[in-house]
Amino acid sequence: MCMKCKEQFNALTRRRHHCRACGHVVCWKCSDYKAPLEYDGNKMNKVCKDCYHILQGSNNSEEKEKKRGILEIESAEVSGNSIICSFLQYNEKSKPWQKVWCVIPKHEALVLYMYGAPQDVKAQATIPLLGYIIEESPRGVDLPYSFRLSQSKSIHSFSADSEELKQRWLKVINMAVVGETTSDRNGAVDEHLEPSL
């Protein structure tokens, strides 16, 4: 998706472009600006809206102050300041399992963010963990190292790559579902898992 307006790319009407100043991958609407770039001999280059305003010295603060929705918080922003983050397999209802980048940020320790990848600029979904019931034992149809979160008719299944990773997630989630944060326990579970490359 476009790293500025968050619209999905497609082959015909919304193709990918690179901002020649910051390198972000953006759609044609968000790269419809040109500015001279010093590294390219001050030639006019295609740049994104943000870089255009910076390079022109204009104040674009009104747009910057627009409040972002909960799904518009970038993965890198929350992953870098998280209680725990890693890839997990995710399944909801009868949909197939899919690999998602899961993050519980320190500033919102009761919410699980799910991204397609660590570099995504928009979350696919969020789960407010407070009040969920945790089922730690996998069922016959589940993947190994699975656990489920259920509340009313909502059921979310997750699977970790190892028993150790599963236990680390369960430690944090067990606190979140009852409204506790790591700061409530003096940072006892202040763990950050780096993405595996």
Side-chain angles (χ1 to χ4, degrees):
M1 67 178 70
C2 174
M3 295 174 82
K4 297 295 177 183
C5 71
K6 319 295 190 282
E7 290 293 326
Q8 293 287 335
F9 292 123
N10 65 50
L12 298 174
T13 60
R14 197 172 290 269
R15 296 176 58 205
R16 296 179 171 94
H17 300 273
H18 281 86
C19 170
R20 301 293 180 217
C22 68
H24 278 154
V25 180
V26 293
C27 67
W28 67 271
K29 273 188 183 177
C30 295
S31 66
D32 199 21
Y33 299 86
K34 287 193 172 189
L37 296 177
E38 196 175 311
Y39 79 85
D40 196 22
N42 284 323
K43 288 182 194 166
M44 295 300 277
N45 279 275
K46 203 174 255 270
V47 296
C48 69
K49 185 170 32 177
D50 292 342
C51 289
Y52 176 79
H53 289 297
I54 291 167
L55 292 166
Q56 297 303 315
S58 60
N59 189 353
N60 195 25
S61 59
E62 185 181 308
E63 208 166 297
K64 290 281 186 195
E65 287 176 16
K66 185 179 83 172
K67 184 144 174 67
R68 294 181 297 175
I70 190 169
L71 295 178
E72 292 175 330
I73 299 173
E74 294 186 24
S75 173
E77 189 179 323
V78 292
S79 298
N81 193 22
S82 65
I83 298 169
I84 187 169
C85 61
S86 74
F87 278 110
L88 293 174
Q89 294 289 333
Y90 173 69
N91 171 268
E92 184 184 18
K93 298 178 182 165
S94 58
K95 295 177 185 171
W97 287 88
Q98 63 177 356
K99 191 173 188 178
V100 293
W101 179 251
C102 296
V103 183
I104 297 180
K106 286 181 184 173
H107 72 280
E108 269 186 289
L110 306 180
V111 178
L112 171 64
Y113 286 77
M114 291 189 292
Y115 296 88
Q119 65 273 19
D120 280 4
V121 295
K122 191 175 182 182
Q124 294 176 348
T126 58
I127 301 173
L129 298 169
L130 190 62
Y132 269 86
I133 296 167
I134 303 168
E135 297 172 39
E136 297 185 24
S137 302
R139 300 167 302 153
V141 295
D142 288 338
L143 297 175
Y145 317 118
S146 293
F147 59 93
R148 296 184 344 145
L149 298 173
S150 60
Q151 184 181 67
S152 186
K153 293 180 181 177
S154 179
I155 298 172
H156 304 278
S157 298
F158 295 91
S159 176
D161 289 341
S162 67
E163 183 63 29
E164 179 200 355
L165 180 58
K166 173 185 170 180
Q167 292 307 319
R168 291 175 81 175
W169 274 99
L170 287 174
K171 196 180 230 183
V172 176
I173 292 171
N174 271 313
M175 291 168 61
V177 296
V178 295
E180 280 188 48
T181 63
T182 54
S183 58
D184 296 337
R185 293 194 187 176
N186 299 324
V189 194
D190 192 16
E191 299 170 1
H192 176 78
L193 298 178
E194 294 296 333
S196 52
L197 300 174

